[in-house]
Amino acid sequence: MGTTDVLPSPLLELLSNSLVLHQICPYIPISGLLNLAATSKSFYSFIFENANVFRYLDLSTTKGGAVDFAPIDPGGEIWRSERMDEAVTEEDFFAGPLRGIFSTLRRRGVLQDVQTLILDGLSVPAEVLREIICDSPFNVRILSIKGVKNLNERKLKQVLKYACRLGRPEGTPKLRGLYFFGPERCKEGTLPLFSQSAVVSSFSPQGVTTSVGAQLGTQWNQRSQNALYSVLEPDADPWYRPSGVLSFADHVAEWADVLSVCHGIIAFDAILCRGPRHDILSIVGDPKGDTEKLMIRSEFMAPASATVVLGPGGCQVCHSAPEGLAIPGEVPTDYLPLLEPPPRHTSSLHLAQKTSRGMSSFGPLPLLARCKACLLDRWCEGCNKFWCEDCYQTSETSTYTQMQKVEAIENSGGPGLRMGIKVHLGLCIEDCLVGEMYNGAGSGGMWG
């Protein structure tokens, strides 16, 4: 008994230092905290009476939060054999383990202390997320639900829209950041945010770019540029490189309306496109603006998610963009995505969007990302070059069919481009579409 009473004292004294506790606790799994609390009354009272111990809570590795069952069987044989309550819905069943954990934390008085909650890969129905986002016992400010199971996304959209509705109570929602679209963290600790096959998969189904030779050439162009940026800015976050198409582009594109409703209220690990065609002033007209430029931005488009990251270089001509480059610290937080990993030692939205890997010798690297509709005929899928609306007008050829564009290029003398076409079939004329493509395509030539 004497040994049991004496040995914990040095450790308890060490953890009583607020600086040490603040640095260590986010790295201790919840099972370790509970085991430590069970060693003595002193540790029990210290852990469950200190608000900083459970401020960062990662449940993604807990076995108690997982549900390793298939959806309820139509025949009901398994469930009848278990004599379960017929009033239990499928969503209630899959929410059971997580609600059990929350119930235990609530009884011990620490649920309200959780501000950063990681639920990646667990069974998290939409009703549980509604409770976390809208109910008073929770004070979660940053929530990560990447790769969760048994989630009805349509209901989650409704929950988020309701939480961000006009006329909501002051101070709600408490949630400030939601990690949802990115893939789960790999064992190596890396996140494949950008698809390596995006260049090939996004080619037009017609023309010479569908051939193996053209795809290989454009892939090597993209790899060469990425390798160059890796050398110049080896520590830059992928969002601040010319990384190309997001690996979850199709998924995030379906959430543009939710991102728009939550704009300025809840931040995501994705952002809205800020291209000029999404700005109503560019369409209606600005009394102080350039009328000719307003005519170029011809049609207004509804909000859309940014799915292509163009890099800090911006336009090939002006090295910027009409909407401006998003420089951390100089633009509203609405323009910046949440960056991986979620911060462990704070629940600040500002720090969740800030990274030391986004710095250069000249200061923070700027971010530029757009939707594919805003990049039509002005972005090369091979080398990721981009020409903005102020420097390159596509109005003359935007209504051309692919065959008409080919004829226009041939009549203009090939890459000389008297017509001024920069991009054809998704590839830039100057670099990715070489002269052999026109001379040999379809007739036994280079890629024919």
Side-chain angles (χ1 to χ4, degrees):
M1 292 297 294
T3 304
T4 305
D5 293 336
V6 174
L7 286 180
S9 299
L11 178 58
L12 183 60
E13 184 177 353
L14 177 64
L15 293 178
S16 298
N17 186 312
S18 59
L19 179 61
V20 174
L21 182 69
H22 179 75
Q23 293 295 325
I24 290 180
C25 273
Y27 296 96
I28 302 177
I30 185 173
S31 59
L33 293 173
L34 297 179
N35 291 336
L36 186 61
T39 58
S40 69
K41 292 182 179 179
S42 299
F43 273 111
Y44 184 91
S45 59
F46 173 78
I47 288 178
F48 288 107
E49 293 177 5
N50 195 315
N52 292 325
V53 172
F54 290 93
R55 186 198 55 77
Y56 177 93
L57 186 60
D58 186 354
L59 299 179
S60 61
T61 58
T62 59
K63 296 181 180 180
V67 179
D68 298 326
F69 295 103
I72 294 178
D73 58 314
E77 297 178 2
I78 298 176
W79 311 109
R80 281 197 295 269
S81 66
E82 295 291 340
R83 298 178 180 272
M84 294 183 66
D85 188 351
E86 294 182 359
V88 176
T89 64
E90 183 174 1
E91 189 170 73
D92 290 335
F93 172 78
F94 287 118
L98 205 53
R99 280 178 173 159
I101 295 176
F102 292 153
S103 178
T104 301
L105 296 176
R106 185 183 293 109
R107 288 198 308 270
R108 297 187 177 182
V110 296
L111 183 63
Q112 70 277 4
D113 298 333
V114 179
Q115 297 186 25
T116 300
L117 182 60
I118 312 297
L119 304 177
D120 299 346
L122 298 180
S123 175
V124 188
E127 182 61 23
V128 173
L129 294 178
R130 185 200 64 78
E131 296 170 1
I132 295 174
I133 297 173
C134 300
D135 287 0
S136 57
F138 292 91
N139 292 312
V140 176
R141 294 180 56 83
I142 295 181
L143 175 64
S144 181
I145 53 171
K146 297 179 300 178
V148 297
K149 304 177 180 64
N150 307 308
L151 173 63
N152 186 324
E153 292 193 13
R154 182 179 60 83
K155 289 185 178 179
L156 177 58
K157 290 180 179 181
Q158 295 173 351
V159 169
L160 291 171
K161 288 181 178 180
Y162 176 80
C164 299
R165 70 193 184 281
L166 295 175
R168 65 187 181 277
E170 186 178 356
T172 62
K174 299 176 184 177
L175 184 69
R176 303 301 297 160
L178 180 62
Y179 290 85
F180 176 55
F181 301 105
E184 290 187 73
R185 182 167 295 277
C186 303
K187 293 182 179 180
E188 294 78 6
T190 58
L191 280 168
L193 289 178
F194 301 91
S195 174
Q196 295 180 356
S197 60
V199 175
V200 176
S201 62
S202 59
F203 282 134
S204 171
Q206 299 178 351
V208 294
T209 56
T210 57
S211 60
V212 177
Q215 292 181 2
L216 288 176
T218 53
Q219 269 191 299
W220 279 111
N221 285 338
Q222 178 68 55
R223 290 179 181 178
S224 299
Q225 188 172 23
N226 289 341
L228 177 61
Y229 258 86
S230 298
V231 173
L232 296 177
E233 301 293 344
D235 297 326
D237 189 275
W239 274 100
Y240 294 89
R241 288 183 181 179
S243 305
V245 183
L246 290 167
S247 62
F248 50 91
D250 293 338
H251 186 200
V252 72
E254 301 171 355
W255 280 70
D257 58 332
V258 179
L259 267 62
S260 179
V261 172
C262 298
H263 189 69
I265 304 173
I266 299 177
F268 295 81
D269 51 346
I271 54 176
L272 288 170
C273 175
R274 298 191 297 117
R277 293 183 64 184
H278 300 289
D279 182 7
I280 192 63
L281 291 179
S282 297
I283 309 303
V284 175
D286 184 355
K288 299 180 181 179
D290 189 332
T291 306
E292 183 178 352
K293 291 181 179 180
L294 294 175
M295 293 293 291
I296 297 171
R297 305 164 191 171
S298 55
E299 297 180 2
F300 174 74
M301 294 193 301
S305 304
T307 57
V308 181
V309 179
L310 300 170
C315 171
Q316 290 295 303
V317 179
C318 65
H319 304 292
S320 184
E323 66 271 28
L325 303 179
I327 303 177
E330 300 182 11
V331 297
T333 56
D334 314 339
Y335 296 170
L336 304 173
L338 299 176
L339 302 178
E340 285 287 343
R344 290 178 179 267
H345 300 100
T346 179
S347 299
S348 167
L349 177 63
H350 172 71
L351 293 180
Q353 296 174 324
K354 180 181 178 181
T355 174
S356 58
R357 297 189 300 157
M359 301 292 291
S360 69
S361 56
F362 301 100
L365 290 173
L367 182 149
L368 180 61
R370 282 192 176 187
C371 65
K372 283 192 174 181
C374 283
L375 297 175
L376 183 63
D377 292 334
R378 60 178 67 256
W379 167 63
C380 176
E381 299 173 4
C383 61
N384 216 44
K385 289 182 179 180
F386 157 70
W387 290 266
C388 73
E389 289 79 359
D390 292 340
C391 301
Y392 173 48
Q393 303 177 16
T394 62
S395 57
E396 295 181 0
T397 59
S398 59
T399 58
Y400 283 18
T401 64
Q402 296 291 2
M403 185 60 66
Q404 288 174 327
K405 288 182 180 179
V406 171
E407 294 177 355
I409 293 173
E410 291 177 348
N411 293 335
S412 64
L417 293 181
R418 191 166 62 246
M419 293 291 295
I421 299 176
K422 298 289 187 182
V423 178
H424 174 60
L425 292 174
L427 300 177
C428 63
I429 302 296
E430 296 179 354
D431 296 324
C432 295
L433 276 180
V434 295
E436 287 83 355
M437 180 178 293
Y438 309 115
N439 298 329
S443 59
M446 184 174 179
W447 294 313

